[in-house]
Amino acid sequence: MTLKIYTPLTGEFIPNDPELFDDETEGFIPMDGYDLASYKEAIAEALDRENHCGGDGWDGNLMEYYHEEDGVKAKVSSAVVSVEYHEGRLCGCATVELSEPLEGDEPTRLMEYLSGQYSDGFGEGFEQRDIAVDGGVLNVHLWQTHGFSMICERPNPAQSHKPPRRPKMRLCGMDGNIFAILGNASRLLRRDGQADRAKEMADRVFASGSYEQALSIISEYVETELSRPPKTKQGDAR
């Protein structure tokens, strides 16, 4: 049995260019899970390194540091931290493997333990790592003093087979600048937790041969006046 425990991410972006600083940034630009969505790959790679930095073949399983002899210890075989999109933003995600369901106060004890690891253990070390990204570095926090919460869900295999959601965007009224249109579409996708698809869309647009082809590509990723309606299964039409 697998559980996913989602937690909010926050961070600071420290630009290489000092001209980007102003009186309010205090040397860094604060970021939330929506802002960090564009950096999923870099953050995931940094967490993967953190999960293997302990040596001796350690694979990031935080349950190796759980020392209570209780039901949580007996039932939870592993808990490994990564990042995933959840409800439109990038979140911390502990993937928990169980031999049998948790009962009584066991879920609470597990989450209290993970919260402690995020604030004083694993997460405290990770937030001190500089993550190199375009234009500067990121420091990412798995735990926050305010607004920290945990959402526990069981993965839904059927969800992965659903077609990606297309945010709505009207082309009417835009100035015809394909870069402005692409920028608006990319922001919509990133806000919807689809940063990977935003990059894929941009790569295809830059490789396209005409304005019309570029619009057609964008309309595959966001719903515009040019988008084709979704296909219906045979027998579904009324």
Side-chain angles (χ1 to χ4, degrees):
M1 182 183 301
T2 301
L3 294 177
K4 300 271 191 178
I5 299 179
Y6 296 100
T7 53
L9 283 183
T10 56
E12 292 90 33
F13 174 66
I14 306 170
N16 293 330
D17 185 357
E19 292 185 1
L20 294 178
F21 294 130
D22 56 35
D23 293 338
E24 296 182 358
T25 59
E26 298 181 351
F28 62 86
I29 299 171
M31 309 193 89
D32 61 15
Y34 296 107
D35 303 316
L36 293 170
S38 300
Y39 300 102
K40 179 187 177 185
E41 185 175 345
I43 298 170
E45 289 178 357
L47 274 169
D48 187 60
R49 290 193 297 270
E50 195 75 10
N51 283 332
H52 294 86
C53 72
D56 300 324
W58 189 63
D59 59 359
N61 181 8
L62 294 179
M63 295 308 295
E64 292 188 16
Y65 303 110
Y66 188 90
H67 301 303
E68 299 294 328
E69 296 298 329
D70 58 10
V72 174
K73 179 78 169 180
K75 296 175 182 179
V76 181
S77 58
S78 68
V80 179
V81 182
S82 61
V83 287
E84 289 188 9
Y85 297 125
H86 186 259
E87 297 182 350
R89 59 180 176 169
L90 192 65
C91 290
C93 176
T95 300
V96 178
E97 299 295 338
L98 304 167
S99 59
E100 56 184 290
L102 298 175
E103 300 175 336
D105 66 346
E106 291 169 349
T108 300
R109 276 186 275 149
L110 172 61
M111 288 191 281
E112 286 177 348
Y113 167 70
L114 291 176
S115 177
Q117 280 289 336
Y118 288 175
S119 61
D120 297 321
F122 181 90
E124 185 179 29
F126 180 68
E127 69 184 1
Q128 298 178 48
R129 314 296 187 210
D130 288 342
I131 304 172
V133 295
D134 289 343
V137 297
L138 285 174
N139 295 119
V140 176
H141 309 291
L142 294 167
W143 187 84
Q144 302 82 32
T145 305
H146 303 289
F148 182 78
S149 62
M150 288 185 156
I151 299 174
C152 185
E153 296 181 359
R154 290 191 63 177
N156 181 2
Q159 190 70 25
S160 62
H161 298 292
K162 290 184 178 181
R165 182 170 52 188
R166 290 190 298 183
K168 293 183 179 181
M169 184 184 80
R170 287 181 58 82
L171 294 173
C172 181
M174 292 194 180
D175 61 4
N177 182 327
I178 194 61
F179 296 108
I181 295 171
L182 175 62
N184 288 339
S186 296
R187 280 190 290 274
L188 282 175
L189 287 169
R190 289 196 298 268
R191 293 288 291 186
D192 197 52
Q194 301 186 56
D196 291 344
R197 281 175 55 79
K199 183 180 184 304
E200 177 184 295
M201 175 185 66
D203 290 343
R204 291 182 60 196
V205 166
F206 290 135
S208 64
S210 68
Y211 177 80
E212 290 74 19
Q213 185 182 6
L215 282 182
S216 178
I217 291 170
I218 290 171
S219 298
E220 294 177 25
Y221 293 83
V222 298
E223 185 178 336
T224 75
E225 298 92 320
L226 302 179
S227 299
R228 296 179 180 178
K231 294 181 180 179
T232 57
K233 294 181 180 179
Q234 199 170 21
D236 285 351
R238 294 290 185 266

